Amino acid sequence: MKLYNTMSRQVEEFVPLQDKKVGLYACGFTVYDFTHLGHLRKYTMDDVLIRTLRHAGYEVTFVQNVTDVGHLASDADTGEDKLEKGAKKYHKSVWDVAREFEEYFWRSMDLMGNLRPDHSTRATEYIAEQIELVKTLEAKGYTYIIDGDGVYFDTSKLDDYGALARLDIEHLKEGARVETVPGKRNPTDFALWKFERPGEDRAMSWPSPWSERGFPGWHIECSAMAMAKIGPQLDVHTGGIDHIPVHHANEIAQSEAATGKKPFVKYWVHHNFLQIEGEKMSKSLGNFYTIDDILQRNFDPMALRLLFLTGHYRSEMNFTWAALEGSQKTWNRLKTKVMELHAAGGPETEASAQSTSPSTGEQDYLTRFFEAMENDLHTSEALAVMWQVLKDETLSNQEKLRLLYQFDQVLGLGLEKLEADEAGSIETKTLPAAVQKLIADRQRARDDKNWQRADELRDELYSLGYKVEDTESGQKVTH
Ligand code: AMP
Ligand code: ZN
């Protein structure tokens, strides 16, 4: 496996810290507004990376957090907490906003076919770990307090601060980061723990050794949760390219200062943006579409997934409805092909696909497909191999379907599930949004082994005229 490492700016051979074990941490979503297609691109490509690593034989522990406190509007430790901003915008409590947008995030992920993390950690549930980490940094002499403001990390104590972003510290010192907090010793210093100001009356604040009430800085959250679930060193850490200069530079600084172990992260993976009309699709700019916009226009989430797969994760991608329309046609073609192959007698299940050893012709395609995937996720090359398979007249239907199922282990298009869906059940995307939500909620309840809730939701769906059966490949809905 080869992976581009932002730290070295090179594609490197992937060698985990320990045997075949991989600790992977993905910076999670800040739950103050809707999950949009830009986020979906990032988390879908994370999903493809994780599936590819697992397919290559690595045992991946996948941790992803939920940022439900402390992410300030500005990277310079100023401005409002984004969660407070969301609460004002939607006239709800901060806690309601956090939980509702978290639910929306998971529903969007499920519809995109993204696998759930092994550990999903909420920042508000790791306050003690974050305080401990700040205490360690304080004991080691890396912190200082700005009265009435917070506990700060002194970046001048490290001689390699900002190596990830190749930051020009001297230049920054001359005042490039214009907006700054009075009392910061260096422009790159950052808040570890913020104090609640008198009269601020925050819904989310906790006691700490430094002030009666306060809340964590966004960066310390990720270090504390990653260390709690994986350990002092990670194999892979992912995030969007916007995280390189500040968030990830700060995660490295505080983690390595606290543990004394280098590196905090062996491979840094950064995703480029999904743009719209030449600008980053973003919550703050308000130029975004959600998964519901996709469903309402009768597109299939898998058409969107296929669209994401046509680009490389390190390149920008411009979102247009025309491109999605093209992708929907491609997806329809692929679906039809799979159904035809199945009708003509392909393997019953993926398990049976794997139990038969591949022919020479198949082996050649498998090699080419997985070489493309394992070479820094060249998904468009891998898709090209897939289309060649479908056109190859020397392969039998059985062989073609077997190959498709194996490719799909990393593409995640749910090709095998397709057959189950088509066998009398209704495709979820054609259902009213409210019904889809109930189905997604029920899937969550089942994932959480909350059988009572799953039964309640089954009854609710039944009262709306939808019958749900649980099959090996998921919920089957009939009208
Ligand atoms: P946030 O909730 O804003 O912290 O974003 C969650 C993740 O999505 C981060 O890793 C961001 O870098 C990433 N992200 C946000 N907007 C986009 C976009 N338009 N395209 C790709 N990734 C994005
Ligand atoms: Zn993070």
Side-chain angles (χ1 to χ4, degrees), residues 78-90:
T78 57
E80 214 176 352
D81 187 326
K82 292 187 179 188
L83 266 294
E84 301 271 350
K85 207 169 142 185
K88 278 188 199 142
K89 177 171 169 188
Y90 292 102

Side-chain angles (χ1 to χ4, degrees), residues 17-144:
L17 292 159
Q18 200 198 332
D19 312 319
K20 287 289 221 182
K21 290 198 187 344
V22 174
L24 183 149
Y25 183 86
C27 274
F29 178 65
T30 307
V31 286
Y32 77 106
D33 214 322
F34 288 98
T35 304
H36 59 60
L37 305 189
H39 304 121
L40 294 187
R41 180 184 185 206
K42 187 262 177 194
Y43 292 107
T44 299
M45 295 316 282
D46 270 351
D47 182 63
V48 171
L49 168 63
I50 290 156
R51 287 171 183 266
T52 305
L53 287 168
R54 287 190 174 142
H55 183 273
Y58 297 104
E59 279 170 54
V60 182
T61 302
F62 167 30
V63 182
Q64 185 174 301
N65 72 299
V66 173
T67 303
D68 55 358
V69 67
H71 192 167
L72 301 188
S74 151
D75 269 351
D77 301 309
T78 57
E80 214 176 352
D81 187 326
K82 292 187 179 188
L83 266 294
E84 301 271 350
K85 207 169 142 185
K88 278 188 199 142
K89 177 171 169 188
Y90 292 102
H91 307 290
K92 291 190 174 170
S93 80
V94 179
W95 288 102
D96 283 349
V97 163
R99 295 300 173 256
E100 284 172 26
F101 285 119
E102 182 186 328
E103 198 171 318
Y104 193 82
F105 174 79
W106 293 123
R107 176 175 163 254
S108 308
M109 289 292 113
D110 291 347
L111 285 165
M112 289 302 291
N114 293 335
L115 300 171
R116 295 284 179 104
D118 299 303
H119 304 281
S120 162
T121 57
R122 290 177 179 143
T124 51
E125 291 168 5
Y126 284 77
I127 296 297
E129 288 81 353
Q130 293 166 60
I131 291 177
E132 269 317 301
L133 196 52
V134 181
K135 276 164 74 179
T136 305
L137 291 169
E138 186 177 44
K140 292 191 171 192
Y142 286 102
T143 67
Y144 61 94

Side-chain angles (χ1 to χ4, degrees), residues 221-271:
E221 297 178 2
C222 282
S223 291
M225 290 183 274
M227 287 188 202
K229 290 293 175 205
I230 297 174
Q233 291 183 294
L234 320 177
D235 295 286
V236 185
H237 193 318
T238 77
I241 49 169
D242 50 335
H243 289 173
I244 302 171
V246 181
H247 184 50
H248 290 166
N250 295 349
E251 275 192 43
I252 295 173
Q254 67 203 3
S255 305
E256 295 183 0
T259 64
K261 284 189 194 262
K262 281 187 183 190
F264 171 49
V265 171
K266 195 162 178 197
Y267 300 92
W268 281 100
V269 171
H270 287 104
H271 299 268

